[in-house]
Amino acid sequence: THCISSAASDVYKRQPKQGMNYRDTLEYLYRLRLFGTKLGLENIEHLAVALGNPQNRLKFIHVAGTNGKGSVCAYLNSIYKKSGYKVGMFTSPHLVRFGERIQVNGKSIDDEHLIKLVTTVRNTLPELPDQISPTFFEFLTGMALKYFADERCDIVIWETGMGGRLDATNIVTPECSIITNVSLDHQAWLGDTIEEIAHEKAGIIKPHKPVITAATQSKVLEKIKKKSKECTAPLLQIRDDSMPDNLVPGLIGSHQERNAMTAIKAVEKLASDLPVSMFDIFEGIKHTKLPGRFQSLQWRNREVLLDVAHNLAGYDALAANCRSTFKDNPCDLIFASLDDKPWREGIELLLPYCKSVHCVPAKSQRAVSPQVLKNHLKQNKQLSINAKIEAYDRLDDCLHQLNEPSKHPMLVTGSFYLVGNALSIIQDNDHNETSLNEWGAQL
């Protein structure tokens, strides 16, 4: 549940400006962010009715999981796009621009369509019952449904926001459900144990619709199998021995083979309705790209690697990539984290591959202070640290300090907020909208 302050509820009383511009639109979305987060389907169900139930005119692949959701969505998007289908993709959070969350054929929604869409959805709010007040994510979910239906997408790759069972995205009945894996994250919302979180993720399974999972833990599989049986939903488990030797994922890391195979099996399940050639499948997998997933860029004569790892499973996968990439050439680590994430364990996993560590703030009210990060590394006697350790008040200052040409790559990681901020600086993009990921964000 959530509380709505009088200031926040005022959002619903205001009539949209005539001729809203992009800044007006962003300001409205920022104000919606004040509503925080609410798990449950009542708001989105009413909003969808007011919009004409656009979800009933679309086909979905619904993707849940703790890690790998974005990668699986990217593989599916690439495969279907390669095959000539019109593909919608809804993901969160965004890295730099808000429009990244809603894409058709790999292209983010443009500013003009975004303004019109926000206005359209906003105009439906007076039609809702008095007790119904959609939150930011529920409003955004309604926007995505409306946009994809208007664009007449052949298939929509539909990523959960958080959890699954009570997530606003769970209003849809997909052609196929995917649960990539389950580990500890968002415990305050989803539960303190793996079993509780798995129960929430399994909530996206629908009667008689196939479900695919790459999860391996017995406790997780038990929950998924139980829900699949209740729904008479055929279940397929991704196993390591099911991966062909000639599979070459476009995203880096041994864990990406499992993500790619998960996407392939979903495509095969739906082949009778959405036929795809094996050539297009493998070409789609091979050419998949996704910002912030061990992404390599050249910037000022240096290689910069960006990774959004922020929970234990993500750090484990990143450490495996570091082990092979930085074995003989350690990196300069730029690190930031939110305080409710396992940053101590994460940074310690990465230390063996670093020649220096540069602690910076994430652009969030929940960020760990750079000085706290530095003090943890300096004062923890259990750590064997040979790396130089610095702290900075701003990411810009850190990057300025490290902008000299070097054979040592930079690794930027620990938070979506940090990676988004770094990308906007590297790409010289003035439109950094990462604050729209923040609960209770202010303009």
Side-chain angles (χ1 to χ4, degrees), residues 106-161:
K107 183 179 179 181
S108 300
I109 184 172
D110 61 41
D111 295 354
E112 182 180 355
H113 278 95
L114 181 63
I115 294 167
K116 289 180 179 178
L117 199 57
V118 169
T119 303
T120 297
V121 177
R122 185 177 182 177
N123 285 338
T124 67
L125 299 183
E127 302 174 27
L128 304 180
D130 291 341
Q131 75 276 15
I132 299 300
S133 303
T135 62
F136 169 84
F137 188 73
E138 291 162 343
F139 188 96
L140 176 56
T141 302
M143 285 172 55
L145 292 172
K146 171 71 173 163
Y147 185 64
F148 295 143
D150 288 349
E151 289 291 310
R152 298 184 179 181
C153 291
D154 299 311
I155 184 69
V156 175
I157 315 305
W158 192 243
E159 182 187 31
T160 58

Side-chain angles (χ1 to χ4, degrees), residues 74-86:
Y75 286 125
L76 288 166
N77 182 61
S78 183
I79 291 169
Y80 282 118
K81 183 182 172 187
K82 178 71 177 174
S83 299
Y85 293 102
K86 193 168 190 179

Side-chain angles (χ1 to χ4, degrees), residues 66-219:
T66 306
N67 292 91
K69 297 191 300 294
S71 297
V72 170
C73 287
Y75 286 125
L76 288 166
N77 182 61
S78 183
I79 291 169
Y80 282 118
K81 183 182 172 187
K82 178 71 177 174
S83 299
Y85 293 102
K86 193 168 190 179
V87 190
M89 184 166 71
F90 180 59
T91 59
S92 59
H94 59 278
L95 286 174
V96 179
R97 297 295 301 270
F98 175 78
E100 297 167 22
R101 293 169 176 248
I102 302 174
Q103 300 183 20
V104 172
N105 281 353
K107 183 179 179 181
S108 300
I109 184 172
D110 61 41
D111 295 354
E112 182 180 355
H113 278 95
L114 181 63
I115 294 167
K116 289 180 179 178
L117 199 57
V118 169
T119 303
T120 297
V121 177
R122 185 177 182 177
N123 285 338
T124 67
L125 299 183
E127 302 174 27
L128 304 180
D130 291 341
Q131 75 276 15
I132 299 300
S133 303
T135 62
F136 169 84
F137 188 73
E138 291 162 343
F139 188 96
L140 176 56
T141 302
M143 285 172 55
L145 292 172
K146 171 71 173 163
Y147 185 64
F148 295 143
D150 288 349
E151 289 291 310
R152 298 184 179 181
C153 291
D154 299 311
I155 184 69
V156 175
I157 315 305
W158 192 243
E159 182 187 31
T160 58
M162 184 163 53
R165 182 176 65 93
L166 298 176
D167 189 79
T169 61
N170 206 27
I171 190 177
V172 309
T173 299
E175 306 304 304
C176 176
S177 300
I178 294 175
I179 302 171
T180 56
N181 52 54
V182 178
S183 58
L184 293 176
D185 201 9
H186 299 300
Q187 290 98 309
W189 297 94
L190 305 180
D192 294 324
T193 67
I194 287 289
E195 295 94 327
E196 289 174 318
I197 297 173
H199 171 73
E200 295 301 321
K201 307 285 186 188
I204 70 167
I205 298 172
K206 298 296 192 301
H208 312 296
K209 299 294 184 179
V211 56
I212 298 168
T213 185
T216 57
Q217 309 101 307
S218 58
K219 293 179 179 179

Side-chain angles (χ1 to χ4, degrees), residues 391-406:
Y392 301 82
D393 292 331
R394 298 168 66 244
L395 174 62
D396 307 62
D397 297 335
C398 175
L399 291 175
H400 177 74
Q401 189 75 19
L402 294 173
N403 70 359
E404 296 296 325
S406 172

Side-chain angles (χ1 to χ4, degrees), residues 144-413:
L145 292 172
K146 171 71 173 163
Y147 185 64
F148 295 143
D150 288 349
E151 289 291 310
R152 298 184 179 181
C153 291
D154 299 311
I155 184 69
V156 175
I157 315 305
W158 192 243
E159 182 187 31
T160 58
M162 184 163 53
R165 182 176 65 93
L166 298 176
D167 189 79
T169 61
N170 206 27
I171 190 177
V172 309
T173 299
E175 306 304 304
C176 176
S177 300
I178 294 175
I179 302 171
T180 56
N181 52 54
V182 178
S183 58
L184 293 176
D185 201 9
H186 299 300
Q187 290 98 309
W189 297 94
L190 305 180
D192 294 324
T193 67
I194 287 289
E195 295 94 327
E196 289 174 318
I197 297 173
H199 171 73
E200 295 301 321
K201 307 285 186 188
I204 70 167
I205 298 172
K206 298 296 192 301
H208 312 296
K209 299 294 184 179
V211 56
I212 298 168
T213 185
T216 57
Q217 309 101 307
S218 58
K219 293 179 179 179
V220 171
L221 288 171
E222 182 180 333
K223 291 290 184 181
I224 295 173
K225 288 177 179 177
K226 179 181 178 182
K227 183 64 175 179
S228 299
K229 186 175 181 180
E230 290 173 0
C231 292
T232 321
L235 173 64
L236 174 64
Q237 294 175 240
I238 302 299
R239 306 180 188 278
D240 291 334
D241 59 6
S242 65
M243 299 176 194
D245 294 334
N246 57 343
L247 179 65
V248 184
L251 304 179
I252 297 172
S254 58
H255 63 291
Q256 289 296 348
E257 292 183 359
R258 182 175 288 271
N259 289 331
M261 204 63 211
T262 302
I264 290 173
K265 290 301 181 184
V267 171
E268 290 177 349
K269 278 286 184 184
L270 304 183
S272 60
D273 195 27
L274 295 165
V276 177
S277 72
M278 191 55 67
F279 175 80
D280 285 343
I281 288 176
F282 274 68
E283 281 295 295
I285 293 293
K286 180 180 177 181
H287 294 288
T288 297
K289 295 181 180 179
L290 184 61
R293 275 65 171 187
F294 212 63
Q295 177 187 9
S296 177
L297 298 172
Q298 290 296 319
W299 182 67
R300 296 183 180 177
N301 297 314
R302 292 200 69 174
E303 182 183 19
V304 183
L305 291 148
L306 305 166
D307 197 278
V308 295
H310 59 278
N311 55 38
L312 288 177
Y315 285 126
D316 283 337
L318 176 56
N321 280 343
C322 291
R323 195 174 303 121
S324 58
T325 305
F326 306 136
K327 181 180 179 182
D328 302 314
N329 186 26
C331 69
D332 292 310
L333 173 65
I334 301 176
F335 188 87
S337 177
L338 304 187
D339 198 27
D340 56 350
K341 302 297 180 182
W343 55 269
R344 296 173 183 83
E345 297 89 338
I347 200 169
E348 289 165 20
L349 280 171
L350 304 178
L351 280 175
Y353 315 106
C354 306
K355 64 181 279 287
S356 65
V357 179
H358 303 265
C359 306
V360 297
K363 293 186 74 171
S364 167
Q365 297 168 4
R366 297 177 286 149
V368 184
S369 158
Q371 197 59 50
V372 168
L373 292 170
K374 180 179 178 179
N375 290 343
H376 170 73
L377 294 174
K378 288 279 192 182
Q379 297 172 7
N380 193 331
K381 300 190 185 316
Q382 294 180 333
L383 297 176
S384 176
I385 302 176
N386 299 317
K388 175 184 175 183
I389 303 169
E390 300 287 354
Y392 301 82
D393 292 331
R394 298 168 66 244
L395 174 62
D396 307 62
D397 297 335
C398 175
L399 291 175
H400 177 74
Q401 189 75 19
L402 294 173
N403 70 359
E404 296 296 325
S406 172
K407 68 174 184 178
H408 297 284
M410 283 190 277
L411 172 63
V412 181
T413 193

